[in-house]
Amino acid sequence: MSSSPALSARGSGPALLVIGLCWLAVLFDGLDMFIYGSVLPHMLREKALGITSGQAGDLGSYATFGMLVGALAAGTVADRIGRKKLMVSCVTLFSLASGICALSGSVAVFGLGRTLAGVGLGGLLPTAISMVSDYAPRGRAALTIGLLMTAHHAGGILSAYAALWIVEPLGWRAAFWVCVVPLLFVPVLAGFLPESLSFLVAKGRTEEARALAGRYDVELPTATGRTSGAAWANLANLFRGGEWIQTLLYWLASFGGLLLVYGVATWLPTLMRGEGYELGSALTFVVLFNLGGIVGMLVAGRASDRFGAPRISALWFALTAGGVFLLSVHMPLALTFVVVFLTGVFLNSAQTMIYATVSLGTAPADRATAVGWTSGMGRFGAVFGPWLGGQLLAADQGDWGFTAFALAGVSSMVFIGVAALRARSADDGAGRKLAAAH
């Protein structure tokens, strides 16, 4: 009999290098993503660049539109040049783009910087998820993806403290200069991160992949007989036979999930200030929300490895919808802190378990494309969420923002729940056919 910590399984030791490097990359991704929402109350108060509430929502959508482009391109580009090179390129891009934001003298230039940053942010996340899926210890794949995503929320916590400690004395530009620091990490990532095993196998570089699998003590992905890298071939594979229904359900669930994630991430501090909280208290909500995200990733990862990622995702979205709706109700401060924390627990990991479902249920040659397009289709929701929050706030209807975000959570619960039922039905049918054959 043996007891094991979170990642104590075959391949856990050496593979931690890959997971650790990807974790740091996603940490910087989260810092860059959340920094805008954290400094936004200050920018609005100081009328930085002449920004208004309506423009603030548009600027939030620029970044998520860039993420949409980056996520949609990630699969195809990664299948051509490799996931390692793409990750290095993405970190470089969003770091330099933050420098543009820091130097900007107008809303237009600032928006350009956020859009370019979004391209890098959107390309990094699905690529990192695919990478750790290759190097995850056996039986710990969903947990490993959840562990990776804790970095995103650790970055969100860093963004809140950057706003508290740096913005007030030095101004909002200083916070974006902090987001240029990840450039120092680029040589480390380029020097120590191995190439994706799935990419090498799909490219026919089997001996190189076998050597890496042996070095990191992980299982070599199975070749599918298809080559990876044709511009649209991998995407077409997601629609063959009855797969198109499952693919669309994942996309719709991701749309609602990312509308919720980025709507709340962008507007939570501002909406809570609108409820009468001071800036310090409003940023405390950001910290609690992301701490909840870290706890939720670990809990959801373990639960998904045991019960299935689609089931956990559906349940988590239902709980998220309830929590977000409660934020529109005036409550004592201590209770509000608890609700924000629990909402963070369920919201962030609900979306991540969609990615885990897609990554683990897709052939290795198609994995980067499947995760990238699921993330990319969800980015339409990510674009819409910040814009919607801005429009509601400009119309003095901030409370309705929480209700709208809660409804998005309900829709994602329905779509991922139906996808889970279809997947279970397909598995049962395959099992009956196999039993009949014997």
Side-chain angles (χ1 to χ4, degrees), residues 298-347:
L298 299 176
V299 173
R302 291 296 293 267
S304 295
D305 281 328
R306 182 172 181 180
F307 300 108
R311 295 178 183 176
I312 296 302
S313 182
L315 176 59
W316 262 224
F317 272 122
L319 294 170
T320 296
V324 171
F325 181 76
L326 281 176
L327 292 179
S328 66
V329 179
H330 184 73
M331 296 177 289
L333 180 60
L335 182 57
T336 304
F337 283 155
V338 172
V339 172
V340 169
F341 175 80
L342 292 176
T343 300
V345 168
F346 298 118
L347 167 57

Side-chain angles (χ1 to χ4, degrees), residues 97-430:
S98 290
I100 294 176
C101 292
L103 293 169
S104 63
S106 67
V107 172
V109 175
F110 185 88
L112 173 63
R114 289 304 291 165
T115 303
L116 292 175
V119 174
L121 296 170
L124 176 71
L125 198 55
T127 309
I129 290 171
S130 297
M131 181 72 80
V132 300
S133 294
D134 280 354
Y135 288 92
R138 183 181 298 172
R140 297 289 187 270
L143 175 60
T144 303
I145 293 172
L147 178 64
L148 174 73
M149 290 301 296
T150 64
H152 193 67
H153 304 292
I157 293 172
L158 283 180
S159 77
Y161 284 114
L164 279 172
W165 296 338
I166 297 174
V167 173
E168 289 299 326
L170 300 178
W172 63 269
R173 296 179 189 273
F176 287 96
W177 281 120
V178 169
C179 294
V180 180
V181 172
L183 278 176
L184 301 176
F185 175 65
V186 168
V188 177
L189 195 65
F192 293 97
L193 185 69
E195 183 52 88
S196 158
L197 299 177
S198 296
F199 172 77
L200 294 175
V201 170
K203 288 294 186 181
R205 295 158 61 180
T206 309
E207 291 304 316
E208 186 179 349
R210 185 174 289 111
L212 277 174
R215 184 187 311 167
Y216 290 94
D217 193 23
V218 294
E219 189 173 352
L220 186 68
T222 304
T224 62
R226 294 193 304 268
T227 58
S228 176
W232 298 104
N234 298 98
L235 179 61
N237 290 332
L238 306 180
F239 288 86
R240 300 187 189 282
E243 289 298 310
W244 69 271
I245 299 177
Q246 203 77 352
T247 296
L248 291 179
L249 286 170
Y250 292 146
W251 288 4
L252 289 168
S254 186
F255 174 89
L258 286 179
L259 186 159
L260 187 52
V261 168
Y262 287 99
V264 172
T266 300
W267 288 109
L268 181 62
T270 304
L271 288 173
M272 299 314 281
R273 283 206 79 187
E275 294 291 330
Y277 298 102
E278 295 298 323
L279 179 60
S281 296
L283 289 172
T284 300
F285 291 128
V286 176
V287 173
L288 288 170
F289 180 75
N290 284 286
L291 280 174
I294 291 173
V295 173
M297 292 299 172
L298 299 176
V299 173
R302 291 296 293 267
S304 295
D305 281 328
R306 182 172 181 180
F307 300 108
R311 295 178 183 176
I312 296 302
S313 182
L315 176 59
W316 262 224
F317 272 122
L319 294 170
T320 296
V324 171
F325 181 76
L326 281 176
L327 292 179
S328 66
V329 179
H330 184 73
M331 296 177 289
L333 180 60
L335 182 57
T336 304
F337 283 155
V338 172
V339 172
V340 169
F341 175 80
L342 292 176
T343 300
V345 168
F346 298 118
L347 167 57
N348 299 295
S349 50
Q351 177 66 24
T352 300
M353 289 307 109
I354 295 177
Y355 299 147
T357 300
V358 174
S359 181
L360 300 177
T362 305
D366 301 326
R367 183 174 289 153
T369 299
V371 176
W373 275 79
T374 300
S375 175
M377 290 296 103
R379 298 299 167 186
F380 284 103
V383 170
F384 186 66
W387 175 86
L388 176 62
Q391 297 305 306
L392 290 171
L393 197 68
D396 198 26
Q397 298 292 328
D399 283 350
W400 283 101
F402 289 118
T403 302
F405 296 147
L407 290 174
V410 172
S411 70
S412 290
M413 174 199 69
V414 171
F415 290 126
I416 196 65
V418 173
L421 291 174
R422 290 191 77 258
R424 185 171 64 179
S425 177
D427 290 342
D428 291 344

Side-chain angles (χ1 to χ4, degrees), residues 2-13 16 137-140 143 302:
S2 63
S3 59
S4 59
L7 288 176
S8 66
R10 181 179 180 272
S12 60
L16 283 177
R138 183 181 298 172
R140 297 289 187 270
L143 175 60
R302 291 296 293 267

